[in-house]
Amino acid sequence: MLKSIFNDILNCALVGALIAALPAVAQDDDLAKAKKLTERDCQQCHTFNKGEQHGQGPNLFGLIGRPAAGAPGFVYSPGILEALKGKTWDRELLDQWLTDTVAVAPKAQMIYFQDDPK
């Protein structure tokens, strides 16, 4: 059932990621707020819908459960590949990533800090 919930949430992949701190079954208002935040903070580099081309960063559709640095067709920097080798995107890794990318992947080209845990 959780997998089904995640699939619904991850229709806009990162939306689910940004609401990771919320209960697994979020209210519609929470999803709308998370989508707005995601679009504001992430859409300049990422795409979110199935089949969309990658942007400067990889398409994030279906992120949870996918091998980290494993979006088909996206060319990752050596720093990202090194730091994320053997890892799979889950809520914990994504929370760490959004909190401080440099702590997760010190040689990464993407630098992001989410200063508001909510």
Side-chain angles (χ1 to χ4, degrees):
M1 181 167 171
L2 265 179
K3 186 172 183 177
S4 174
I5 292 169
F6 270 115
N7 285 338
D8 290 341
I9 292 172
L10 294 176
N11 282 330
C12 291
L14 199 53
V15 173
L18 292 177
I19 63 165
L22 298 175
V25 181
Q27 300 297 320
D28 288 341
D29 286 349
D30 294 332
L31 290 174
K33 289 175 188 176
K35 183 176 181 184
K36 185 176 180 179
L37 177 64
T38 301
E39 290 172 347
R40 185 191 75 208
D41 289 358
C42 308
Q43 74 176 353
Q44 58 270 36
C45 296
H46 296 280
T47 56
F48 307 103
N49 297 308
K50 186 175 184 176
E52 284 184 310
Q53 291 184 339
H54 298 297
Q56 182 177 355
N59 179 299
L60 299 176
F61 182 85
L63 182 71
I64 300 297
R66 180 168 80 197
F74 186 79
V75 179
Y76 291 89
S77 69
I80 296 278
L81 292 171
E82 178 184 327
L84 298 178
K85 184 177 182 176
K87 296 182 180 181
T88 300
W89 286 114
D90 60 13
R91 292 174 115 188
E92 182 181 344
L93 179 58
L94 194 53
D95 186 49
Q96 292 169 358
W97 182 262
L98 293 174
T99 300
D100 184 354
T101 57
V102 176
V104 176
K107 299 176 187 175
Q109 292 178 349
M110 177 185 166
I111 298 174
Y112 180 82
F113 301 94
Q114 175 56 289
D115 59 352
D116 182 357
K118 291 180 184 179

